């Protein structure tokens, strides 16, 4: 853990991942441009889920680069990177199974979103997350789920709309799993630090 924290704290690593995630965030918001234009303005913060997740990480990386911690953004990044990273991988796999063919766009999205989820664990050792950060993140994520699947503002992609209720149920449990993972890691850190002291 200490070694990995050292690696992820290196300036060159931080700059590389900052640029990669910033470019991915910009591309992601462009991707959602059409849907945003067709949606009410008050839904905009909750529509581009994946780019917002990487945006949280970009802010967290920038703070770490300057030896600071923005725990709320770190918590938001950890949970949403896992949730929307895994969500997109599963959805794109489902699209390819549905059409019974390998789709280059789906493969690209699976790769990029899979890396999102991996980054959550890569950066976790450098994060400084407190209980109140988790509470606010829970409010954001579950509110986002309601906006997506009650107000029908989920990502419009391929033929997924016809499975909205099933996907909404899956998304809900992805949120639960992401938070359980975070709580498990937080407890392990507390136990380990208590044991070391």
């Amino acid at each position: 853990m200490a070694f990995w924290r050292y690696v992820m704290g290196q300036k060159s690593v931080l700059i590389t991942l900052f640029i990669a995630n910033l470019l991915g965030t910009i591309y992601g918001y462009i991707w959602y441009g059409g849907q945003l234009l067709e949606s009410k303005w008050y839904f905009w913060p909750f529509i581009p889920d994946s780019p917002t997740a990487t945006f949280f990480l970009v802010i967290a990386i920038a703070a770490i680069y300057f030896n600071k911690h923005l725990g709320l953004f770190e918590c938001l990044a950890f949970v949403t990177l896992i949730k929307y990273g895994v969500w997109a991988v599963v959805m794109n796999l489902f699209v390819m199974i549905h059409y019974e063919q390998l789709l280059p766009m789906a493969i690209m999205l699976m790769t990029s979103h899979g890396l999102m989820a991996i980054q959550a664990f890569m950066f976790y050792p450098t994060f400084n997350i407190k209980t109140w950060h988790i509470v606010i993140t829970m409010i954001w994520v579950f509110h986002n789920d309601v906006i997506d699947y009650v107000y029908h503002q989920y990502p419009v992609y391929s033929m997924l709309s016809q499975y909205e209720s099933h996907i909404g149920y899956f998304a809900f449990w992805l949120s639960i799993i992401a938070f359980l993972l975070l709580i498990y890691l937080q407890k392990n850190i507390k136990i380990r630090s208590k044991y070391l002291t």
Side-chain angles (χ1 to χ4, degrees):
M1 184 73 78
F3 172 75
W4 193 248
R5 189 183 296 116
Y6 169 78
V7 171
M8 296 307 295
Q10 294 301 299
K11 301 294 186 183
S12 58
V13 173
L14 292 171
I15 290 172
T16 301
L17 292 175
F18 176 87
I19 293 171
N21 282 283
L22 179 61
L23 293 175
T25 300
I26 293 168
Y27 175 79
Y29 282 125
I30 292 170
W31 172 279
Y32 278 95
Q35 186 175 347
L36 290 170
L37 289 174
E38 294 175 2
S39 305
K40 303 289 187 184
W41 64 268
Y42 44 80
F43 288 133
W44 288 354
F46 309 103
I47 292 174
D49 296 327
S50 294
T52 300
T54 53
F55 177 65
F56 291 146
L57 182 60
V58 164
I59 294 173
I61 293 173
I64 293 169
Y65 183 86
F66 292 105
N67 299 313
K68 297 187 180 301
H69 283 280
L70 297 175
L72 179 57
F73 286 99
E74 293 172 351
C75 188
L76 284 163
F78 181 85
V79 173
T80 58
L81 286 170
I82 292 174
K83 178 189 167 81
Y84 299 117
V86 172
W87 184 93
V89 169
V90 173
M91 290 304 105
N92 280 281
L93 182 60
F94 180 47
V95 168
M96 288 197 294
I97 292 171
H98 177 86
Y99 289 115
E100 297 183 341
Q101 58 181 312
L102 292 174
L103 303 170
M105 179 59 72
I107 293 171
M108 182 276 286
L109 290 171
M110 287 175 67
T111 303
S112 60
H113 285 78
L115 290 171
M116 280 173 55
I118 290 170
Q119 281 189 107
F121 294 101
M122 287 171 58
F123 273 103
Y124 179 77
T126 70
F127 287 167
N128 185 12
I129 297 172
K130 302 187 186 322
T131 301
W132 72 268
H133 300 146
I134 298 175
V135 171
I136 293 178
T137 300
M138 281 183 175
I139 294 170
W140 172 272
V141 169
F142 287 116
H143 176 70
N144 202 343
D145 282 345
V146 171
I147 297 298
D148 281 354
Y149 299 104
V150 175
Y151 292 94
H152 314 293
Q153 301 300 316
Y154 52 85
V156 175
Y157 180 59
S158 190
M159 52 6 113
L160 296 179
S161 296
Q162 59 189 294
Y163 301 101
E164 178 187 355
S165 58
H166 302 296
I167 293 171
Y169 182 73
F170 172 65
F172 167 77
W173 280 105
L174 264 183
S175 298
I176 297 292
I177 291 168
F179 280 111
L180 288 176
L181 277 171
L182 176 58
I183 292 167
Y184 171 78
L185 290 171
Q186 291 288 104
K187 279 190 173 181
N188 267 10
I189 280 183
K190 286 181 181 177
I191 292 170
R192 192 172 298 168
S193 61
K194 185 177 179 182
Y195 176 77
L196 291 174
T197 54

